[in-house]
Amino acid sequence: MRKIKDNLLQGIIFGVIISIGIGYFFFEYKPNFIDNVYLNERLERTKECFLEEYKNIDYCREYLKNGKVVSNKGALDIFFSLVEYSPLGYLNMLAPFILGIVSIKKISKILNSRIAKYYLIRERYKRFVVEIYNSIMKSVFYLPFIYLILYLFCVIVSHGNIYGIEGFDPNILALGDNLIIVYLFNVFLMSIIYLLISVITVRIVNNYYIGIILNYLLYFVLDILMEIYLKGIVLYLSLGIDTKGYFLFFNVFNLRSIPNLYIYFGIRIVVAIILFIISILLYKNKESYVKYLEKGSSLNENRA
């Protein structure tokens, strides 16, 4: 029953995100950027394309030839519009919060029950810690899967036309068919960082609701350290080094102007390793952790 409830929560979040993306496409993006409803209405009303000075404009040529202007948008055009400029753009800020809800809920139920205490008595402590990591890290493919479904939807509505993206660094465009793979890998890598913060959070706070808030605050702290302190103060103001978007963690789709992906991903891998080391150190002392669990258990019993 518990597993069904957890899956139901993930399913609801999944459904809401996909519904917002599809709804935005049909009610906002398609009418304005593919069908050009307002442009066609204006051309029909003003008849401007029949004037000599307008006839050579691209959209007027198409209008005079086909009776309407229709834009041919590729899957990547549509996809990046959905994930950056639609309401789904808020996912960049909400992703740590969403994964916090999904992952912390799983482990919180274990820690706030007697299962953890009995597990520690009968099993090895290292195995118990591994179970914590496994419980949380099972959510690592959650966001990449959502974005993959959105991309496949974009491929379908674009009739298989993938290209046509603008405003990207030439090094990014050179990836060709691998571009979406790189983006999904970035979401995957950032999911690992989000979830490692969750691993740290459940060691600091043994309360689901407080844990979710703290989890999000810790991510804010990480972003401030990377974007403001390390990038802004240390590298730019002190050393005069412009790091572009390498240290921006709050937007998983900020690869447009990244000239070197090796540096970009290298920074995130280093951050993930540091967070992993911190989590290992926090879980290192078994006696301290057992007392932490007992304290949380006694608080829950008093509330009951």
Side-chain angles (χ1 to χ4, degrees):
M1 188 67 178
R2 177 181 297 170
K3 188 173 182 179
I4 293 175
K5 288 182 179 180
D6 291 341
N7 291 336
L8 179 62
L9 175 62
Q10 294 182 47
I12 291 173
I13 295 174
F14 173 84
V16 169
I17 294 173
I18 297 299
S19 297
I20 291 174
I22 294 176
Y24 175 81
F25 172 79
F26 283 110
F27 292 103
E28 183 70 23
Y29 188 86
K30 189 174 185 293
N32 293 319
F33 298 100
I34 296 179
D35 297 337
N36 296 307
V37 172
Y38 297 112
L39 174 61
N40 285 311
E41 287 178 352
R42 191 194 80 198
L43 296 179
E44 181 68 24
R45 184 177 66 254
T46 63
K47 308 294 183 182
E48 64 184 69
C49 286
F50 292 97
L51 300 176
E52 194 63 34
E53 61 266 31
Y54 290 104
K55 284 185 178 181
N56 291 325
I57 299 177
D58 290 339
Y59 65 78
C60 278
R61 287 178 179 178
E62 185 176 350
Y63 179 78
L64 292 173
K65 181 180 179 181
N66 302 316
K68 62 180 178 179
V69 180
V70 178
S71 300
N72 186 22
K73 296 291 185 179
L76 291 172
D77 278 320
I78 300 171
F79 177 72
F80 290 119
S81 294
L82 290 183
V83 299
E84 290 188 87
Y85 304 117
S86 80
L88 289 182
Y90 292 108
L91 264 180
N92 285 311
M93 296 185 63
L94 293 177
F97 185 72
I98 290 172
L99 281 187
I101 292 175
V102 172
S103 60
I104 295 176
K105 185 176 182 63
K106 293 179 180 179
I107 196 62
S108 180
K109 288 181 178 180
I110 297 175
L111 298 181
N112 289 325
S113 66
R114 298 184 182 274
I115 298 175
K117 183 177 179 181
Y118 292 139
Y119 201 108
L120 286 171
I121 293 174
R122 298 177 182 178
E123 303 286 351
R124 291 183 301 172
Y125 176 65
K126 287 184 179 179
R127 184 175 175 184
F128 176 69
V129 173
V130 169
E131 284 298 318
I132 292 177
Y133 279 92
N134 287 339
S135 297
I136 290 180
M137 288 300 171
K138 284 179 181 178
S139 303
V140 73
F141 293 105
Y142 186 63
L143 287 179
F145 179 71
I146 290 176
Y147 283 118
L148 176 60
I149 295 299
L150 284 172
Y151 175 69
L152 293 177
F153 166 76
C154 295
V155 172
I156 293 171
V157 296
S158 66
H159 307 289
N161 176 28
I162 297 176
Y163 301 105
I165 49 181
E166 300 176 354
F168 280 73
D169 187 277
N171 293 321
I172 301 298
L173 290 177
L175 293 169
D177 294 337
N178 296 321
L179 179 57
I180 190 63
I181 296 175
V182 171
Y183 268 85
L184 291 176
F185 174 73
N186 191 39
V187 177
F188 171 78
L189 192 56
M190 289 305 300
S191 295
I192 291 176
I193 292 175
Y194 301 151
L195 293 171
L196 282 171
I197 293 176
S198 295
V199 173
I200 294 171
T201 299
V202 297
R203 177 61 182 87
I204 298 173
V205 176
N206 190 9
N207 181 283
Y208 174 58
Y209 298 104
I210 297 176
I212 291 174
I213 296 172
L214 178 62
N215 186 72
Y216 201 50
L217 290 177
L218 287 176
Y219 185 73
F220 264 109
V221 171
L222 172 64
D223 191 65
I224 290 171
L225 286 174
M226 299 299 293
E227 180 71 9
I228 298 178
Y229 177 72
L230 188 56
K231 174 190 172 180
I233 298 177
V234 176
L235 294 176
Y236 187 72
L237 294 180
S238 301
L239 302 176
I241 300 174
D242 184 7
T243 58
K244 299 186 180 296
Y246 290 131
F247 291 91
L248 180 60
F249 273 61
F250 245 129
N251 186 353
V252 296
F253 290 100
N254 69 328
L255 300 184
R256 287 178 179 268
S257 59
I258 300 298
N260 192 317
L261 288 175
Y262 293 106
I263 296 175
Y264 180 87
F265 287 127
I267 290 171
R268 279 145 185 78
I269 290 172
V270 169
V271 170
I273 292 172
I274 292 173
L275 289 173
F276 178 71
I277 293 173
I278 292 173
S279 67
I280 291 295
L281 293 176
L282 286 173
Y283 285 91
K284 185 177 181 180
N285 192 314
K286 176 180 178 180
E287 183 179 348
S288 173
Y289 190 58
V290 171
K291 289 180 179 178
Y292 163 76
L293 290 178
E294 289 176 345
K295 181 181 179 180
S297 178
S298 63
L299 286 173
N300 291 326
E301 288 175 0
N302 291 333
R303 286 172 185 169

